[in-house]
Amino acid sequence: MTQHVATEKATMVELLRWDGVFTPAILEDWRDLLRRIPDAPVFLHPEWLGYAAAAGLERPTRLLRISLRGRALALLPLVPRGPGAWMAATPFCMDTAVRLVDPVTAPQAWQGIGTAMRRWPSLGLLSPGMINRAETLAELHAMADAGALPLCDHALDPSYLVPLAGEWPLFLAGLRPSMREKLRRGDQYLARHPDHARVTAAMTPREIAVTLEALFCLYRQRWGGQVGGSPLCPPRNAAFYRTVLPWAVAHDYGALLALSLDGRTLAVGSMLHIPEQPVAYYHFTVRDDTAERLPDALSSPGLVLTGHVIQWAIARGARALCMGRGAADYKRQLGADGRPLWQPVLARSPLAGALLPPLGEGLHILARLPVHLRHHLRRVSRRAA
């Protein structure tokens, strides 16, 4: 493993070549940092990135390590995003990135990242990934200002968090009457027709595999027609999820629920949550939008399933359910609040900040041209047929 090393005020900065395979030394650093990061979501666990790299979903090629007297202060796995441009890995991380920073020594860690930017020309642009806390963004700005590094913090669509009451009846009581009635009617129908309709949790490896295939099938059915397909269409994405979700369920870090009616799957949802942490994540969800003649109480199968996801999160002690970005109206009806998100990008110099982003965007467009051409050719051939 070749590396570049720099030191500044007793802080060591290392830029390591890395392929996402966890050596004992990297794993020891990683787990030590995890223990020092309160509320670290499952996305920061080494298994999450390890499975993503093995499947080819997102494979880092560099690891930025900041340490003090031999103990890691920060680890930032980097994937290339164009000439001289790098970004923290974000394999299906919802509103964050794989970025491990000890909160107690965060200013020193950010200074180390600034040192790396100034020291090595190969780091022309660097994004530490999505940031969902204003204080973290402020720390990054302070480092950039002190080191005279250009910084752009692009505002993204917010991520929506549903505040959770301590009990399901209390949560329902806080909703608008129309939403409360829809959720209650769905629950009542399931209670009265247990042999006809049910919500089940996949627990065994076989149950998880079968339910995941239903999730993939419904995703492709609903969104496979868009350019590039759905997020779960590419084989490597599906391969990642087939390995990481069973791992999460086996370690009580997640669950997979399905709503069915007379044996037909109407909706599937996957959730992630580490016990005793405040935020649970509604990771993937999809409903069968081709189902017809549904009972009135199940006319919104995705909403009925979401109610059970919320009950699952409440039972585990979560205080909020992250539902990600998009579909704002539906999430607000469940009481969700928008949490601001930023995508900061550090530049090595004003010249790098001006030239590298348009160059990277141009290369990205060229790389996507075959995808768009295939999509439109398929549409033309279908119309001709």
Side-chain angles (χ1 to χ4, degrees), residues 95-309:
D95 66 349
T96 185
V98 183
R99 178 184 60 245
L100 287 84
V101 178
D102 182 346
V104 175
T105 56
Q108 290 169 278
W110 291 118
Q111 288 168 15
I113 291 172
T115 298
M117 294 289 295
R118 292 187 296 271
R119 184 64 60 93
W120 297 304
S122 60
L123 298 178
L125 295 177
L126 189 150
S127 172
M130 283 185 288
I131 287 178
N132 55 29
R133 296 182 179 180
E135 56 269 29
T136 302
L137 188 67
E139 291 170 348
L140 184 57
H141 268 281
M143 179 275 290
D145 291 342
L149 293 172
L151 172 63
C152 294
D153 50 351
H154 307 285
L156 304 174
D157 292 338
S159 177
Y160 288 91
L161 269 70
V162 176
L164 302 178
E167 297 178 358
W168 174 241
L170 290 176
F171 175 80
L172 285 176
L175 299 178
R176 293 179 180 177
S178 59
M179 177 59 72
R180 182 165 60 243
E181 182 62 21
K182 288 178 183 178
L183 291 172
R184 279 179 173 164
R185 287 176 62 202
D187 274 357
Q188 289 169 356
Y189 187 91
L190 294 174
R192 291 170 183 166
H193 304 87
D195 297 329
H196 180 56
R198 65 186 66 182
V199 172
T200 54
M203 299 301 296
T204 68
R206 175 167 175 74
E207 290 170 347
I208 294 170
V210 170
T211 308
L212 276 180
E213 291 312 309
L215 175 71
F216 298 153
C217 180
L218 290 177
Y219 245 85
R220 291 161 185 160
Q221 172 184 292
R222 189 164 187 193
W223 291 295
Q226 65 188 13
V227 177
S230 79
L232 294 175
C233 278
R236 61 178 178 269
N237 296 12
F240 164 65
Y241 220 55
R242 286 190 185 103
T243 53
V244 79
L245 200 61
W247 164 81
V249 174
H251 287 78
D252 194 29
Y253 295 160
L256 186 62
L257 297 185
L259 168 65
S260 61
L261 176 67
D262 293 329
R264 176 173 182 171
T265 301
L266 299 181
V268 184
S270 59
M271 299 83 70
L272 298 165
H273 177 247
I274 295 179
E276 301 181 3
Q277 289 198 356
V279 179
Y281 294 84
Y282 200 177
H283 202 223
F284 280 104
T285 182
V286 65
R287 62 181 175 85
D288 184 352
D289 57 1
T290 66
E292 298 178 349
R293 299 178 183 177
L294 296 177
D296 288 344
L298 302 183
S299 59
S300 299
L303 180 61
V304 174
L305 183 67
T306 298
H308 282 259
V309 169

